[in-house]
């Protein structure tokens, strides 16, 4: 019984995403309904709109107790976007948890919420300058990696519940940027021997590191998103309090020259960089735009 309810719920979401006059009550969380209203407005402001949407779900695990059933499931959205005369596909994949009682859905929410990770470790930058890597940063290789692993985890690396910055670090490393030789978590940029630096895996630490690193990973801060290139990095402070909670990598530019990004945690591909469609978004949001050198 709960399976039919879940199918109808996902179908209702999909219809509401396309048709403004469709029943929006399929969204249990008010924050999610508001975030998609912002998403629609964001597309309108960009002279773009969602032409079609495919939504698929798959059950990961179920837990039953008395008359209640908890269902962990994966939902995947594919949006066909028309922007001017061009088209592209945006994708979002998210693990969610729904609870049912006597076949009726009582709750539904993401397992990992964007912007809820606030570890603020103290880190140090290296004092010595390191010469750039011979051959430079291979942006195409970084983007290829980000495209290959946007919706799954590379088993060669440890994965995290909040995996956004780890995924970006892997993509930068795939672009030819070598890890530093440090073995202290508060120094350098590295992952090895089942250990890792804070700058490799923590959003706020990577933001701080990119702002002044003289190691193998160096960046130049830009004043606006449109100045970035594929392979560059954007950091997000959703609350505007100076603590950065999310990291994305630019994988393409839209017809207006604005970045489209990939990310983990809520696995996203070709998502508009502004993240107005995130439940973590606030009007106080701050960004850091880093051009990787």
């Amino acid at each position: 019984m709960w399976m039919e309810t879940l199918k109808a719920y996902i179908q209702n979401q999909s219809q509401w995403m396309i048709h403004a006059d469709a029943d929006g009550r399929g969204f249990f969380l008010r924050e999610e309904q508001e975030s998609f209203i912002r998403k629609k407005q964001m597309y309108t402001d960009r002279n773009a709109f969602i032409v079609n949407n495919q939504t698929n779900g798959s059950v990961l695990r179920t837990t039953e107790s008395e008359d209640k059933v908890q269902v962990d499931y994966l939902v995947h959205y594919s949006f066909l976007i028309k922007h001017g005369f061009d088209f592209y596909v945006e994708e979002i994949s998210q693990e969610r948890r729904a609870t049912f009682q006597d076949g009726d859905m009582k709750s539904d929410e993401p397992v990992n919420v964007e912007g809820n990770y606030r570890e603020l470790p103290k880190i140090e930058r290296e004092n010595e300058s390191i010469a750039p890597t011979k051959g430079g940063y291979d942006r195409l290789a970084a983007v290829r990696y980000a495209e290959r692993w946007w919706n799954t985890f590379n088993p060669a690396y440890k994965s995290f519940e909040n995996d956004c910055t780890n995924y970006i670090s892997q993509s930068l490393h795939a672009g030819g940027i070598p890890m530093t030789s440090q073995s202290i978590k508060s120094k350098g940029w590295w992952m090895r021997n089942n250990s890792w630096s804070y700058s490799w895996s923590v959003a706020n630490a990577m933001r701080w590191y990119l702002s002044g690193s003289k190691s193998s990973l160096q960046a130049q801060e830009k004043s606006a998103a449109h100045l970035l290139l594929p392979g560059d990095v954007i950091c997000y402070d959703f609350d505007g309090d100076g603590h950065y909670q999310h990291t994305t990598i630019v994988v393409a530019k839209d017809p207006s020259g604005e970045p489209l990004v990939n990310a983990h945690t809520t696995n996203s591909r070709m998502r508009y960089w502004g993240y107005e469609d995130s439940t973590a978004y606030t009007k106080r949001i701050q960004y850091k735009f880093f051009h990787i050198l």
Side-chain angles (χ1 to χ4, degrees):
M1 184 183 299
W2 61 262
M3 179 65 79
E4 294 305 315
T5 302
L6 182 59
K7 286 181 179 178
Y9 172 77
I10 293 173
Q11 184 179 26
N12 188 39
Q13 283 185 327
S14 182
Q15 291 297 313
W16 187 79
M17 288 174 178
I18 297 298
H19 304 293
D21 56 347
D23 182 5
R25 289 175 295 176
F27 282 96
F28 184 82
L29 295 180
R30 177 179 56 83
E31 294 85 354
E32 291 189 301
Q33 189 167 350
E34 290 175 350
S35 72
F36 202 81
I37 291 172
R38 291 196 301 270
K39 188 182 191 78
K40 288 183 175 181
Q41 186 61 50
M42 176 186 69
Y43 283 125
T44 299
D45 294 343
R46 295 167 57 215
N47 190 32
F49 59 94
I50 302 172
V51 176
N52 202 356
N53 169 36
Q54 290 186 346
T55 306
N56 297 296
S58 59
V59 174
L60 301 175
R61 65 193 72 89
T62 61
T63 305
E64 299 187 25
S65 61
E66 297 180 355
D67 59 342
K68 292 184 180 180
V69 180
Q70 176 181 288
V71 180
D72 289 348
Y73 69 99
L74 191 68
V75 63
H76 180 272
Y77 304 103
S78 295
F79 305 104
L80 178 61
I81 310 300
K82 184 177 187 298
H83 189 161
F85 295 103
D86 294 332
F87 294 84
Y88 67 90
V89 176
E90 174 188 342
E91 297 179 83
I92 293 178
S93 182
Q94 187 179 61
E95 184 176 341
R96 301 181 67 87
R97 176 168 295 158
T99 57
F100 298 85
Q101 186 170 12
D102 298 328
D104 295 328
M105 179 180 284
K106 297 300 181 182
S107 67
D108 176 62
E109 58 188 10
V111 172
N112 295 319
V113 180
E114 289 177 336
N116 69 340
Y117 187 56
R118 301 187 62 82
E119 183 178 352
L120 304 173
K122 292 183 179 180
I123 64 172
E124 305 173 52
R125 297 191 184 100
E126 295 85 356
N127 293 322
E128 72 277 8
S129 296
I130 298 176
T133 305
K134 185 178 180 180
Y137 176 42
D138 189 339
R139 296 177 175 277
L140 180 57
V143 169
R144 282 175 174 165
Y145 186 96
E147 288 283 85
R148 166 64 180 84
W149 297 103
W150 80 269
N151 195 27
T152 187
F153 302 101
N154 185 345
Y157 293 91
K158 180 178 175 60
S159 60
F160 300 88
E161 181 178 350
N162 294 280
D163 198 65
C164 64
T165 306
N166 178 39
Y167 164 69
I168 302 306
S169 288
Q170 291 174 33
S171 300
L172 296 175
H173 185 53
I177 299 178
M179 302 179 195
T180 58
S181 60
Q182 300 286 345
S183 58
I184 302 172
K185 295 178 78 70
S186 61
K187 290 186 177 182
W189 177 74
W190 54 273
M191 174 179 275
R192 65 176 71 89
N193 299 326
N194 202 33
S195 187
W196 53 90
S197 66
Y198 295 127
S199 61
W200 181 279
S201 62
V202 179
N204 197 63
M206 171 171 272
R207 194 288 307 165
W208 190 87
Y209 194 79
L210 288 174
S211 291
S213 169
K214 293 181 172 59
S215 74
S216 54
L217 174 58
Q218 297 183 33
Q220 180 183 40
E221 190 169 342
K222 296 292 186 178
S223 59
H226 72 269
L227 300 174
L228 299 180
L229 299 174
D232 286 337
V233 170
I234 302 177
C235 299
Y236 299 76
D237 170 12
F238 290 110
D239 304 316
D241 62 0
H243 300 147
Y244 285 74
Q245 304 127 297
H246 190 52
T247 320
T248 68
I249 184 169
V250 179
V251 293
K253 305 289 279 292
D254 73 9
S256 298
E258 295 291 334
L260 302 173
V261 300
N262 285 17
H264 271 194
T265 302
T266 294
N267 295 346
S268 305
R269 177 179 179 269
M270 299 282 281
R271 188 172 176 177
Y272 186 67
W273 69 268
Y275 262 65
E276 289 94 335
D277 57 340
S278 172
T279 55
Y281 174 85
T282 74
K283 292 183 178 179
R284 300 182 301 277
I285 193 170
Q286 297 292 321
Y287 308 93
K288 290 285 187 180
F289 308 112
F290 289 109
H291 175 64
I292 305 300
L293 302 178

